[in-house]
Amino acid sequence: MSERLEEIAAAMVAEGKGILAADESSGTIKKRFDAINVESTAENRRDYRELLFRSTEAMSNCISGVILYDETIRQNAADGTPLVEVIKATGAIPGIKVDAGAKPLALYPGDTITEGLDGLRDRLAEYHRLGARFAKWRAVIDIDIAARVPSAVAIASNCHALARYAALCQEAGIVPIVEPEVLMDGGHDIDTCYEVTKAALTKLYAELFGARVLLEGTILKPNMVIAGKKSGRQSSPEEVAEKTLKLFRETVPVAVPGIAFLSGGQSDEEATANLNAMNAAGQQPWRLTFSYGRALQAAPQKAWAGMAENVAAAQAAFSHRARMNSLATLGQWRPDLEQAA
Ligand code: 13P
């Protein structure tokens, strides 16, 4: 595996592959486990994540990298092998979430600022020693037009933090995934999502440029341009693809090697169909792939339900979603392939 930032970034968006986001914080994984009636213990978290990483065929063919949480990058598999080594054996690259979460932005009710810059240089050096070759930092931008959210200050502060994070990553030999997530939780329409995402991406690339970040050694992890869940409208894959691609052509430099979408609360098939529609729209300047958490893991979590006898079924469910999304990166997914499985 190359140590050059450009080559690591290129490998993260290799043809037909995408990223498994398995970096749920302690609070988030507890929520996911609550939903399947599993206690969130270190052992259960290990067993669950190990079953994903040991889905060898899917990992080798469809997954370029895995985003880990601090606990997982230090954890061993049941047989004592470090989980990082289990991942590397499949050919995938270990990555690490390094932000400390989104906190309320002082004096701006409804806005958040992502924390975690203090001490980050030392943490990155340790994560590099532990095997991480890329990192993730998620800024959260909510939309509530009536409440004037997001404010320009929230967008500027978050993009500035993303740029400082990205520069520290590159100094440490780690590829930064920059994630300015415009949430799809609100009641806004698709054009409002377009405008807010445009403001965020415009500011983001100005900040990255100012921070001297090498764009060839970064990956963008954005939301798709899509109507808010509470709008009561579901955007069609064609509309999502058209508006998302138009926006990226306006805002994302071609020096960026790849764009790996978050799923953001879309259903499994919706996330796959939308990615597929973008890749079916023809050649783009960047690779367009997935960095899904929920849209890759909801099915295996349900199938596993905390029971050892369900491991094979959970691996089959994960492998299926990985394969469907791999096809979507090539524009070769079709709804009937879901039924066939
Ligand atoms: P979702 O795909 O569930 O949105 O998670 C991806 C992620 O890593 C968000 O930071």
Side-chain angles (χ1 to χ4, degrees):
M1 178 72 219
S2 164
E3 293 287 329
R4 287 186 64 229
L5 293 170
E6 298 94 312
E7 285 171 23
I8 297 167
M12 288 165 67
V13 292
E15 189 169 13
K17 292 188 179 184
I19 295 165
L20 166 62
D23 59 324
E24 299 82 4
S25 62
S26 310
T28 303
I29 196 72
K30 181 177 182 314
K31 252 193 279 171
R32 306 278 185 262
F33 278 16
D34 283 350
I36 52 169
N37 275 314
V38 175
E39 198 189 342
S40 186
T41 62
E43 196 180 333
N44 284 339
R45 292 191 292 272
R46 191 273 313 276
D47 287 350
Y48 167 65
R49 286 166 170 152
E50 181 175 352
L51 83 81
L52 298 177
F53 308 156
R54 287 204 192 272
S55 304
T56 311
E57 215 187 299
M59 288 287 295
S60 296
N61 296 326
C62 310
I63 303 296
S64 59
V66 183
I67 317 177
L68 302 170
Y69 188 57
D70 181 78
E71 175 185 70
T72 320
I73 202 172
R74 305 170 191 281
Q75 234 168 5
N76 292 338
D79 69 2
T81 314
L83 288 176
V84 166
E85 296 307 321
V86 174
I87 291 167
K88 281 162 98 179
T90 69
I93 308 169
I96 183 77
K97 167 195 176 77
V98 300
D99 67 68
K103 308 287 156 60
L105 180 65
L107 307 185
Y108 281 86
D111 278 326
T112 61
I113 177 72
T114 297
E115 297 189 344
L117 286 171
D118 288 358
L120 182 56
R121 177 178 272 130
D122 294 339
R123 290 196 290 130
L124 286 167
E126 189 194 10
Y127 287 139
H128 192 276
R129 280 197 297 279
L130 290 169
R133 290 299 176 269
F134 70 91
K136 182 192 101 171
W137 178 290
R138 173 174 176 254
V140 182
I141 296 160
D142 204 356
I143 300 181
D144 182 349
I145 296 303
R148 297 184 185 225
V149 168
S151 64
V153 171
I155 289 175
S157 307
N158 275 296
C159 290
H160 184 74
L162 275 164
R164 285 188 57 198
Y165 142 82
L168 283 163
C169 283
Q170 293 195 336
E171 183 190 78
I174 288 178
V175 168
I177 293 183
V178 289
E179 179 179 6
E181 175 174 3
V182 176
L183 295 179
M184 64 176 291
D185 300 341
H188 53 274
D189 60 16
I190 189 169
D191 292 321
T192 304
C193 176
Y194 183 99
E195 289 307 324
V196 174
T197 308
K198 183 172 180 175
L201 290 177
T202 305
K203 192 69 184 167
L204 175 66
Y205 284 101
E207 289 286 346
L208 290 173
F209 184 73
R212 300 186 169 167
V213 170
L214 177 80
L215 295 183
E216 290 85 342
T218 66
I219 298 292
L220 174 65
K221 177 165 175 168
N223 53 285
M224 296 177 192
V225 175
I226 194 166
K229 276 190 176 172
K230 290 184 197 132
S231 70
R233 292 213 203 120
Q234 190 174 342
S235 315
S236 69
E238 291 67 33
E239 191 180 14
V240 170
E242 184 204 323
K243 295 194 166 162
T244 305
L245 290 172
K246 175 172 156 53
L247 174 62
F248 290 172
R249 282 195 294 270
E250 291 173 334
T251 56
V252 184
V254 296
V256 174
I259 296 173
F261 291 98
L262 58 95
S263 59
Q266 297 179 38
S267 74
D268 295 358
E269 269 195 57
E270 192 186 358
T272 305
N274 288 341
L275 177 62
N276 187 69
M278 284 185 258
N279 280 304
Q283 184 83 20
Q284 306 297 333
W286 338 261
R287 277 274 164 73
L288 299 172
T289 186
F290 56 90
S291 175
Y292 292 162
R294 283 164 283 182
L296 279 171
Q297 295 191 59
Q301 279 165 7
K302 212 170 142 209
W304 175 59
M307 298 196 239
E309 61 266 34
N310 294 338
V311 163
Q315 289 180 320
F318 169 61
S319 302
H320 174 66
R321 286 266 48 88
R323 221 170 317 111
M324 293 298 103
N325 285 307
S326 167
L327 287 171
T329 68
L330 305 168
Q332 293 170 5
W333 173 84
R334 295 186 322 266
D336 61 287
L337 296 172
E338 299 282 353
Q339 315 316 327

